[in-house]
Amino acid sequence: MPDKEQRFLDALDKKLWNAADKLRSTLDAAQYKHAVLGLLFVKYVSDAFDIRRQELIEQFKDSEHDYFLDPGDYDSEDEYQAEIADELEIRDYYTEKNVFWVPQLARWQTLRDNATLAPGTEIEIKNGKTRTYTFRSVGRLIDDALEAIEKDNPKLKGVLNKSYGRLQIDQSKLIELINLLSEIPFAHETLQSKDILGHVYEYFLGQFALAEGKKGGQFYTPKSIVSLIVEMLQPFAGRVYDPAMGSGGFFVQSERFIKAHGGKLGNVSIYGQEYNHTTWQLAAMNMAIRGLDFNFGKEPANTFTNDQHPDLRADTIMANPPFNMKEWDTGVSDDDPRWQYGRPPTGNANFAWLQHMLYHLAPNGSMGLLLANGSMSSNTNTEGQIRKALIENDLVECMVALPGQLFTNTQIPACIWFLTRNKKERNGFRDRSGKVLFIDARNLGYMKDRVLRDFKKEDIDKIAETFHAWRKGEGYEDEAGFCMSATLDEITKHGHVLTPGRYVGAAEEEDDGEPFTEKMARLTIQLSEQFEESGQLEEQIKQNLAGLGYEC
């Protein structure tokens, strides 16, 4: 993204978040998150609707366009304008352009104009036919607007969180929030409303994850980690699946990747699953804001006990499931067909997530998932046996060790597993059978604040380009301390442990040309001189303190 656009978005982010956070009042971050993001969604669909509405007005007046309405066919200007007004309320004009139909009650201007009314006031709603609406409260007005949007757009059924009337928040705060979000512009010189609102939505998700701490991090994966996995797997086409999708970050980043590389969004089908109902709603809104078609199943559901996509075989699978999840298997059969490489232990779901994803992977598919570091070496219960089976079946393609402090919700060290069902030569990749790439990225990244670490773009590029070069067999070389291509025999000698540090070794120090014995002698003399100097300094300090009347 050009610097000018990024500066505009960064300034908008900061302004909106600072203002919105001041309005939080008595609501905790979890409740306030849904209040803000729900209203952001209404703003988006209303803006998109208004933009399409303006396009139609221009087309009705353009004699070269199929939608042209000739003023000469009407007896008066008033009759002509009335005809345009009626035409603007025809749903098909909007849905044909994949724009959500927004009823009059749910349009942003309606919310803004009527939010300050006194309870009991009646307002007229014109939407095909005129009717009256009795205003009860701002919260109820927003709920009714969301209800109207859902009713007129079947794809959004069950997606919108209609609970504003029940929020324990001063109504004046909701009015301030509406006025605040009204400041989000329709468009920028080079950015569309969808891009701006999508960016703000994602930024707010990240900020709420920070505000909620451990709980908030459960639905949000840091953008840089998502970007890394997407850059490595490159989901240009086919079915993309996330069985623990949270707010849908992997899908958003996949969209960006496809656009950045000139691909077509229509070539990708999105499938996801999420257990938490409100997070499932957030993800669906996240997709809708970007105009992406998606299948998140019939309902929010437990991935292990109520698989929403039982017959899916995906080309790309990406996930950040909960680390080391306990008591995950209540209601799950011991002979479930997903446990092809061993029954995962009750006390840890890491290999249950991994095998669930493998079960849904297409014959030529690839997958990447974040897991706790323990998954690479643990022999607790059946974990070591499962890992051994995965290695011996040549399913593991690459292991990436990550730096600490990357996540808002946990300090548990993490790694990324990349697996594939087919390492044979295909689609520009060389035959990698019997080989695994190990990447130790623990020394990459920077501290973005006192608590959190992050990757720079060059860090992501270095890891992804190493992986692609290894896959293609073009320009790859082992680099001590960073990467190594190991054989299955070498991995077996290490007891089927997959920790990259065991394979990449230590980084080589640059040779300065000085022989070791000479360097050792020189450094020993230098250290002795520094000790002597330290002793002299200490004696001087004692004398100075004694001169001031202090005993040492």
Side-chain angles (χ1 to χ4, degrees):
M1 179 179 291
D3 288 343
K4 186 177 179 181
E5 293 178 2
Q6 191 62 56
R7 285 196 299 272
F8 165 78
L9 291 174
D10 289 345
L12 183 63
D13 287 341
K14 188 174 182 180
K15 172 186 174 183
L16 290 172
W17 176 257
N18 288 342
D21 202 37
K22 289 177 183 176
L23 299 178
R24 187 157 17 137
S25 187
T26 57
L27 287 184
D28 64 28
Q31 288 179 298
Y32 192 58
K33 171 180 66 187
H34 295 290
V36 173
L37 296 176
L39 273 173
L40 262 176
F41 180 77
V42 177
K43 178 73 164 69
Y44 163 70
V45 294
S46 191
D47 279 12
F49 180 87
D50 286 342
I51 290 170
R52 175 58 179 156
R53 188 181 179 87
Q54 194 57 46
E55 287 176 0
L56 289 168
I57 291 172
E58 299 301 322
Q59 290 167 2
F60 292 152
K61 296 178 179 179
D62 183 0
S63 60
E64 301 296 319
H65 200 280
D66 292 342
Y67 291 164
F68 174 61
L69 298 176
D70 190 347
D73 293 340
Y74 302 89
D75 294 333
S76 66
E77 177 66 16
D78 287 346
E79 187 180 339
Y80 174 59
Q81 293 299 334
E83 180 65 19
I84 288 180
D86 288 342
E87 288 287 312
L88 288 171
E89 296 300 324
I90 295 176
R91 177 197 301 267
D92 290 349
Y93 285 140
Y94 301 87
T95 55
E96 71 182 6
K97 294 294 185 179
N98 200 28
V99 173
F100 288 108
W101 169 256
V102 183
Q104 182 78 39
L105 177 63
R107 295 173 194 172
W108 192 257
Q109 197 61 47
T110 302
L111 292 182
R112 196 173 187 185
D113 289 346
N114 296 295
T116 57
L117 292 176
T121 304
E122 288 190 349
I123 57 177
E124 280 193 353
I125 300 296
K126 295 178 181 178
N127 205 168
K129 58 182 180 180
T130 302
R131 68 182 182 87
T132 58
Y133 172 82
T134 302
F135 178 85
R136 295 178 179 83
S137 69
V138 187
R140 183 64 180 272
L141 177 65
I142 298 170
D143 286 340
D144 290 343
L146 293 168
E147 182 74 43
I149 292 172
E150 267 198 0
K151 183 178 179 182
D152 279 312
N153 297 278
K155 282 201 317 188
L156 295 176
K157 184 179 180 182
V159 165
L160 306 181
N161 194 349
K162 303 175 289 293
S163 60
Y164 288 82
R166 300 190 299 274
L167 283 178
Q168 299 300 311
I169 185 173
D170 191 304
Q171 296 297 289
S172 64
K173 296 292 186 183
L174 282 178
I175 296 171
E176 286 185 65
L177 195 53
I178 290 172
N179 290 333
L180 171 66
L181 297 184
S182 295
E183 296 180 24
I184 301 177
F186 278 113
H188 177 257
E189 295 172 10
T190 53
L191 291 170
Q192 297 179 347
S193 177
K194 180 177 72 172
D195 298 322
I196 295 170
L197 279 158
H199 175 88
V200 171
Y201 190 95
E202 183 182 22
Y203 176 78
F204 272 37
L205 278 173
Q207 291 300 108
F208 279 121
L210 288 171
E212 290 181 80
K214 185 173 181 179
K215 183 179 179 182
Q218 291 175 358
F219 72 89
Y220 183 80
T221 306
K223 183 180 175 182
S224 61
I225 304 302
V226 175
S227 298
L228 174 60
I229 294 175
V230 170
E231 287 289 337
M232 291 179 75
L233 292 180
Q234 299 187 324
F236 278 115
R239 298 169 296 275
V240 178
Y241 173 51
D242 183 346
M245 67 183 181
S247 53
F250 281 110
F251 304 132
V252 172
Q253 199 58 40
S254 296
E255 177 212 19
R256 289 199 180 122
F257 174 83
I258 293 166
K259 284 183 175 179
H261 292 81
K264 294 181 179 179
L265 291 177
N267 292 340
V268 171
S269 301
I270 291 172
Y271 296 85
Q273 181 155 350
E274 171 60 39
Y275 178 70
N276 183 284
H277 184 266
T278 51
T279 306
W280 183 84
Q281 291 175 310
L282 288 177
M285 286 192 289
N286 210 356
M287 298 303 101
I289 278 179
R290 291 166 171 81
L292 298 175
D293 285 330
F294 59 92
N295 181 344
F296 291 166
K298 295 179 181 179
E299 59 189 353
N302 184 307
T303 301
F304 296 124
T305 58
N306 189 5
D307 191 345
Q308 294 290 293
H309 309 287
D311 300 320
L312 174 66
R313 296 298 178 268
D315 301 287
T316 305
I317 305 180
M318 300 174 282
N320 173 24
F323 291 171
N324 304 327
M325 193 169 118
K326 303 182 186 305
E327 300 177 4
W328 59 272
D329 56 349
T330 302
V332 180
S333 172
D334 286 351
D335 58 359
D336 190 298
R338 290 174 289 185
W339 315 148
Q340 184 177 352
Y341 303 99
R343 187 7 173 125
T346 297
N348 196 317
N350 287 343
F351 285 101
W353 287 111
L354 191 152
Q355 290 192 86
H356 171 87
M357 292 168 68
L358 266 176
Y359 178 80
H360 284 288
L361 195 62
N364 289 323
S366 294
M367 58 178 264
L369 80 158
L370 283 149
L371 288 178
N373 274 0
S375 62
M376 298 188 289
S377 58
S378 171
N379 289 314
T380 304
N381 297 316
T382 57
E383 291 184 354
Q385 298 168 24
I386 296 172
R387 188 173 57 254
K388 178 182 178 182
L390 296 171
I391 294 166
E392 291 179 343
N393 282 276
D394 208 11
L395 295 165
V396 181
E397 183 168 33
C398 177
M399 299 296 301
V400 179
L402 296 172
Q405 296 178 267
L406 286 172
F407 301 91
T408 59
N409 65 318
T410 181
Q411 293 301 312
I412 298 174
C415 60
I416 312 174
W417 289 64
F418 290 94
L419 295 93
T420 183
R421 288 196 176 278
N422 186 0
K423 291 185 184 177
K424 299 293 184 183
E425 184 178 350
R426 63 181 177 86
N427 298 336
F429 299 148
R430 68 184 177 96
D431 188 343
R432 291 103 58 217
S433 300
K435 296 182 177 65
V436 176
L437 176 64
F438 291 93
I439 297 177
D440 190 343
R442 289 177 297 172
N443 294 323
L444 299 184
Y446 69 102
M447 294 302 295
K448 61 189 295 186
D449 56 38
R450 291 181 301 169
V451 178
L452 286 174
R453 195 174 187 88
D454 204 357
F455 278 141
K456 296 179 181 177
K457 183 180 183 301
E458 45 264 43
D459 297 323
I460 294 172
D461 290 344
K462 180 177 182 178
I463 299 168
E465 288 167 7
T466 298
F467 181 56
H468 299 319
W470 177 80
R471 269 180 151 187
K472 295 174 182 177
E474 299 174 357
Y476 171 81
E477 290 183 6
D478 289 345
E479 180 183 329
F482 177 66
C483 64
M484 178 185 172
S485 180
T487 65
L488 297 191
D489 286 343
E490 288 173 303
I491 295 171
T492 300
K493 290 177 182 176
H494 281 280
H496 300 98
V497 169
L498 294 175
T499 307
R502 288 212 179 187
Y503 299 90
V504 304
E508 293 181 2
E509 292 189 12
E510 187 176 342
D511 185 4
D512 57 8
E514 184 179 10
F516 175 77
T517 53
E518 292 181 15
K519 180 185 286 189
M520 192 64 187
R522 177 177 60 79
L523 290 175
T524 301
I525 293 171
Q526 184 178 332
L527 183 60
S528 178
E529 290 173 347
Q530 288 172 343
F531 279 145
E532 184 178 347
E533 184 179 340
S534 174
Q536 293 173 353
L537 183 60
E538 183 180 353
E539 186 59 34
Q540 184 63 50
I541 291 172
K542 287 180 179 179
Q543 291 176 11
N544 291 342
L545 288 172
L548 295 172
Y550 293 96
E551 292 186 6
C552 298

